[in-house]
Amino acid sequence: MLERIWDRNQAIFRSIVLNILIDRSAVDDVLQEAYAKVLRSRKDFSTQEEAYNYIRKTVVHTCIDTYRSFRRRNALFVQPHELANLPHGDGQADPLTRLMEMEKGEAQSTVLEEVKKTMLELP
């Protein structure tokens, strides 16, 4: 049952990953990891809808984990003088927190632009 649901909804899962990560190169890796998590869970599902929802949730959570991993890895490459120039927000003195908030805003802007572009293409 899981394999049929996975195959039938592959485009939806791919879209979810792409919209969260905005990185086409990571899509297959994230989907493979999510599918492995689903198989390792060995859960029994009473309905196909329950199985689909579990798979979708696993895909989303795997995306979020991957996104956080990317951000942590990229934060290591920020130069100290760049941290000093980050905007201050909500009285947070921690430079890493400020960097993460700035990146979150940039990611949200990018996603909104993609959504707007896609909406304009709809009939």
Side-chain angles (χ1 to χ4, degrees):
M1 175 169 63
L2 289 175
E3 187 176 335
R4 273 184 290 132
I5 293 171
W6 184 268
D7 290 340
R8 214 178 20 217
N9 296 290
Q10 187 76 17
I12 294 170
F13 300 143
R14 194 170 278 290
S15 175
I16 290 170
V17 174
L18 192 56
N19 283 322
I20 292 174
L21 295 181
I22 313 169
D23 181 5
R24 291 187 190 282
S25 65
V27 172
D28 290 331
D29 292 337
V30 170
L31 287 176
Q32 184 177 12
E33 184 178 342
Y35 192 61
K37 285 180 181 180
V38 168
L39 293 177
R40 279 192 306 260
S41 72
R42 296 184 179 176
K43 290 191 177 270
D44 291 326
F45 303 103
S46 56
T47 65
Q48 286 191 358
E49 182 179 349
E50 183 182 348
Y52 169 78
N53 288 333
Y54 180 77
I55 293 171
R56 186 174 45 82
K57 185 170 36 169
T58 303
V59 168
V60 169
H61 287 219
T62 305
C63 281
I64 292 169
D65 291 344
T66 303
Y67 177 74
R68 288 177 179 157
S69 174
F70 285 165
R71 297 228 354 230
R72 281 188 213 110
R73 201 173 323 132
N74 289 339
L76 296 175
F77 297 108
V78 176
Q79 301 300 320
H81 68 277
E82 292 173 317
L83 290 175
N85 295 329
L86 290 175
H88 294 277
D90 300 355
Q92 296 172 342
D94 179 19
L96 182 57
T97 302
R98 293 193 322 241
L99 177 65
M100 292 171 69
E101 288 300 318
M102 185 177 77
E103 287 179 356
K104 180 181 174 184
E106 290 173 2
Q108 286 176 342
S109 296
T110 305
V111 169
L112 285 174
E113 288 301 318
E114 287 294 320
V115 169
K116 286 178 188 176
K117 187 170 67 173
T118 304
M119 293 293 287
L120 291 173
E121 293 174 0
L122 291 174

